[in-house]
Amino acid sequence: MSRLLRPLVAAAALFGAAAPLPAQRADSALLAAYRWRNIGPDRGGRSIAVSGVKGRPREAYFGATGGGLWKTTDGGTTWFPVTDGQLQTASVGAVAVSESNPDVVFIGMG
């Protein structure tokens, strides 16, 4: 079973799908190892814009509706604010990282 299908199989099992197939039973140890974890900053609100960084697999940005632009460099374990004190409005509705220079980040305000 592909790695992409495994979470779908787990979700189907949670919602009362038919009995698992033999291949699904073989993956039960893997699925049992999944644990819920919160990623992202400890803040309220919602995120409406995200972007990864080409060539930097653990780096990403998200734009919050009421909290500016946030960045992670460790795959989402910790986040820090990028735009604190730099914006007149807090809502970031679009995020894009330049492919030619990943140190350049464009944001659109809402």
Side-chain angles (χ1 to χ4, degrees), residues 13-110:
L14 289 174
F15 293 105
L21 300 171
Q24 293 168 334
R25 279 188 233 109
D27 290 332
S28 63
L30 175 70
L31 294 175
Y34 284 136
R35 298 287 180 255
W36 176 261
R37 70 181 180 117
N38 288 318
I39 59 173
D42 186 19
R43 52 167 296 283
R46 58 191 165 95
S47 170
I48 58 173
V50 297
S51 181
V53 179
K54 186 175 182 179
R56 299 178 183 173
R58 299 185 58 78
E59 189 171 312
Y61 294 88
F62 86 81
T65 58
L69 183 69
W70 293 76
K71 179 180 181 179
T72 183
T73 56
D74 59 11
T77 301
T78 58
W79 292 81
F80 60 92
V82 176
T83 55
D84 278 4
Q86 300 180 47
L87 303 174
Q88 298 298 318
T89 180
S91 182
V92 175
V95 177
V97 178
S98 170
E99 288 188 17
S100 61
N101 182 356
D103 294 323
V104 175
V105 180
F106 300 93
I107 59 174
M109 309 306 290

